[in-house]
Amino acid sequence: SAPALQCGDDPEDLSLTGEPMVGGVPVGASPECEIAVAFTDQIINHCLPAAYTVVRTWTTIDFCNGTVSSRVQLIKVEDKVAPVLTAPADVTIGTDGFTCTGSLTLPQASATDNCSAINIVPHWQFGSGYGPFSSIPLGTHIVTYTATDGCGNSSTATMQVSVEDTGPPQAICSSDLQVSLSASGGAYLNAATIGVNSSDNCSGPVSLDISRDAENYAAQLLFTCDDI
């Protein structure tokens, strides 16, 4: 028996599948007296269009003596090649609003196959499929994409999702504060007095500074009679 054909091969190419011979010469080219040959095919499906079996019935006729002979040949066409899978580029996302986690829908991967349709599914520690996914913690997470063709051949590729704290702290400031000057005509206002409950979604407590001109910041400001 000969090796199976690959799904891109043509089972009607007799140079691949073979044909009846007489003395090592194809029957149709044989100098033997009045011998003719023909074949009919029946297809048995496995996972069309990639893999199937051809049941080929050969019939030869010797017109000299009227002899008719038949033989059956099985030609197997297989798909043993896995898809070629290309994972998406790595992704970096920021955290959501007031939480220290991120959210995203995974990007699509691409793949090609020599024969059949392809199904691509991503998997990672937060589940399978494309999402959307939420509550993804800070750090780098590996996503594995698996591409499977119609005959069960599969390949994998990976990409990374990085979640970073890209959001600024939330400044919550008191308003309508009154500063009482001392007998010497001065008073200090601390940043902590204004920034009540200011915080960051990931880092917790934040350091506070205040400024008169949004350029020069300090932990406290001196107010004098000139500010009245």
Side-chain angles (χ1 to χ4, degrees):
S1 62
L5 302 182
Q6 289 301 305
C7 59
D9 296 335
D10 182 4
E12 294 193 7
D13 184 348
L14 300 184
S15 66
L16 297 175
T17 62
E19 58 183 308
M21 300 281 188
V22 176
V25 178
V27 170
S30 172
E32 295 293 330
C33 176
E34 298 294 334
I35 297 178
V37 64
F39 66 84
T40 58
D41 287 343
Q42 178 184 2
I43 305 298
I44 298 177
N45 301 333
H46 301 309
C47 59
L48 280 177
Y52 54 93
T53 294
V54 178
V55 181
R56 177 164 294 172
T57 301
W58 289 95
T59 301
T60 58
I61 301 176
D62 186 341
F63 292 108
C64 293
N65 56 27
T67 301
V68 178
S69 178
S70 295
R71 294 290 187 274
V72 174
Q73 178 188 19
L74 299 180
I75 304 169
K76 194 170 185 180
V77 181
E78 296 181 336
D79 177 10
K80 295 295 186 182
V81 179
V84 177
L85 175 61
T86 302
D90 294 343
V91 173
T92 298
I93 61 173
T95 52
D96 300 327
F98 295 99
T99 68
C100 193
T101 59
S103 301
L104 89 162
T105 297
L106 291 173
Q108 298 282 336
S110 62
T112 59
D113 190 69
N114 60 332
C115 299
S116 56
I118 310 165
N119 182 43
I120 305 175
V121 180
H123 308 269
W124 62 337
Q125 66 192 89
F126 308 108
S128 298
Y130 292 91
F133 296 94
S134 60
S135 300
I136 306 167
L138 294 176
T140 299
H141 313 283
I142 303 298
V143 182
T144 300
Y145 288 79
T146 301
T148 306
D149 67 17
C151 288
N153 305 300
S154 63
S155 58
T156 60
T158 62
M159 56 90 73
Q160 295 182 348
V161 173
S162 297
V163 182
E164 298 180 352
D165 178 14
T166 57
Q170 299 292 322
I172 303 175
C173 299
S174 300
S175 60
D176 298 326
L177 290 176
Q178 293 184 352
V179 178
S180 299
L181 302 181
S182 67
S184 61
Y188 285 96
L189 176 64
N190 294 320
T193 303
I194 296 177
V196 179
N197 295 323
S198 295
S199 64
D200 185 74
N201 62 332
C202 288
S203 302
V206 297
S207 60
L208 299 172
D209 290 309
I210 55 177
S211 171
R212 292 177 180 273
D213 54 12
E215 291 183 2
N216 301 298
Y217 286 88
Q220 59 181 201
L221 290 177
L222 173 63
F223 287 86
T224 67
C225 294
D226 294 335
D227 293 300
I228 298 176

